[in-house]
Amino acid sequence: MIPEELALIDLRSMQILVAVNDAGSFSAAAIQLDISQSTVSYAIDRLRRAFGDPLYVRQGNRIAETDKCRNLVSQTRETLNRMLAIAVPQEFDPMTAEGAVTLSCNHHERFLLLPAFIRTLREAAPNVVLNVLESAVNGKQQLKENVADIVLGPVRILGEGYFRRRIFSDHYSCVMDADNPLAKGDLTLQRFQNAAHIAITHNGQWQALYFAALRERNIVLTPQLTLPSHDSLELMIAGTDLVATIPNRLASTYGGRLAARPFPIHIAIDIDMYWTERTHKSGLHRWVRQLLADVTHAVAPDQTQEEVAFS
């Protein structure tokens, strides 16, 4: 028989527990859920009584979760996502549908895919709202906390309840000013190594894949310039001796404005689309994911796409 205190726990209290965990404080969770802090405190107190555990303890200016709380949050998050997955409408008519989709990605994917995707989305589903976030390296956390519905990028998100679809692959090229001596002749690994480099760090949270490949060859680069993203890269390179190593499909968009040379080592950049069980069967989200795949196939028609569920 279920104890009375436990039987009285509702989905709202479970939602508040997860919000407190993700936000890191009662006050931040209250703001996130647009409720009073006393409502948050009341819900956590009920959960404390029901599970016989303090759940959160004060450590200086912050709260820390107990071991039981950590396990409870994990189970609660899974339960909430399963309930949401059951509740979402599976039927979908693009022209009449209303709703919102949050897509998280970085400059590479935004620049190549989103212009065509947004045009098609506006024509086919004019009442659907699209929110775009910067993912950097936070894609899994954004999915886990339901901040994002879809994550695009060269990341690996593993674990139960995550789904993946490979949408395209790329590789690296080097871009530089047309008057840079490296723009003439083959760009060998030795010539590349001695160049003045730009590193794109996504606000200091990311190191491009080619750095690891170079370290395997005992080559350690010291960039002369680091930038938070690919935005305005062309302006930073023009008239200088700087060289940036970026995805080839992005490099090709600079046309004759910058010189492009193949990166000395072939390194695949696999761009995957990720989502969770929460939106897996949603009519709206299934349609949007397929639209993204269709647009990608038009932009990068040589790609083979596959869908994988992790368990």
Side-chain angles (χ1 to χ4, degrees):
M1 186 171 178
I2 300 176
E4 183 179 358
E5 288 285 357
L6 186 57
L8 293 175
I9 297 302
D10 56 10
L11 288 176
R12 186 60 162 169
S13 296
M14 296 167 70
Q15 181 189 32
I16 289 172
L17 173 70
V18 172
V20 169
N21 182 268
D22 293 344
S25 73
F26 286 23
S27 58
I31 294 171
Q32 178 182 312
L33 296 174
D34 195 23
I35 58 178
S36 67
Q37 188 168 335
S38 61
T39 300
V40 173
S41 298
Y42 176 72
I44 298 301
D45 285 342
R46 289 181 63 194
L47 290 166
R48 283 167 168 161
R49 292 193 298 271
F51 290 95
D53 189 85
L55 300 181
Y56 293 102
V57 294
R58 178 68 60 181
Q59 288 188 350
N61 294 326
R62 56 182 289 271
I63 57 173
E65 59 187 6
T66 65
D67 289 341
K68 181 175 283 191
C69 179
R70 187 176 300 109
N71 183 50
L72 180 59
V73 168
S74 176
Q75 298 295 325
T76 298
R77 192 190 303 278
E78 182 178 342
T79 299
L80 289 172
N81 283 340
R82 290 184 184 275
M83 296 288 282
L84 287 170
I86 294 171
V88 295
Q90 296 186 24
E91 299 300 322
F92 179 72
D93 177 9
M95 284 305 299
T96 60
E98 296 183 355
V101 175
T102 300
L103 170 66
S104 179
C105 60
N106 291 321
H107 180 83
H108 183 201
E109 300 81 40
R110 284 198 304 271
F111 192 88
L112 293 177
L113 304 181
L114 260 58
F117 172 71
I118 290 171
R119 286 194 298 271
T120 308
L121 177 68
R122 295 301 306 149
E123 293 173 1
N127 298 318
V128 171
V129 175
L130 176 66
N131 303 306
V132 180
L133 303 178
E134 182 84 14
S135 63
V137 296
N138 301 314
K140 184 172 185 177
Q141 191 71 13
Q142 291 170 337
L143 287 176
K144 179 181 177 182
E145 297 178 2
N146 297 336
V147 174
D149 302 315
I150 299 170
V151 168
L152 293 179
V155 294
R156 295 294 171 265
I157 299 177
L158 304 176
E160 184 177 357
Y162 293 97
F163 296 82
R164 171 180 66 83
R165 181 171 183 173
R166 172 68 44 76
I167 58 170
F168 75 93
S169 293
D170 206 342
H171 59 274
Y172 285 108
S173 286
C174 299
V175 292
M176 62 207 75
D177 188 271
D179 292 332
N180 191 320
L182 295 177
K184 307 295 188 295
D186 293 335
L187 183 59
T188 64
L189 190 57
Q190 183 65 50
R191 296 181 77 200
F192 171 85
Q193 183 178 353
N194 294 331
H197 296 279
I198 296 177
I200 309 299
T201 67
H202 295 296
N203 294 317
Q205 301 181 70
W206 169 262
Q207 188 175 70
L209 303 177
Y210 67 88
F211 279 95
L214 291 172
R215 283 195 295 271
E216 291 177 357
R217 293 163 171 78
N218 296 316
I219 297 173
V220 178
L221 296 184
T222 303
Q224 299 298 307
L225 173 65
T226 62
L227 295 175
S229 77
H230 296 89
D231 300 338
S232 69
L233 180 64
E234 180 184 354
L235 297 176
M236 306 302 173
I237 291 177
T240 75
D241 62 342
L242 293 166
V243 174
T245 302
I246 63 175
N248 178 66
R249 294 183 189 277
L250 198 56
S252 66
T253 64
Y254 290 113
R257 302 188 304 277
L258 292 177
R261 290 292 178 271
F263 185 65
I265 309 166
H266 182 83
I267 301 169
I269 308 171
D270 295 327
I271 305 299
D272 292 330
M273 173 166 53
Y274 290 92
W275 64 98
T276 65
E277 189 173 23
R278 176 177 62 89
T279 61
H280 184 58
K281 295 183 179 180
S282 160
L284 168 60
H285 292 87
R286 283 190 301 179
W287 180 83
V288 168
R289 291 194 299 267
Q290 187 57 50
L291 182 63
L292 266 170
D294 291 343
V295 167
T296 302
H297 185 68
V299 173
D302 56 329
Q303 303 303 314
T304 299
Q305 300 182 352
E306 58 175 346
E307 185 172 314
V308 178
F310 298 111
S311 59

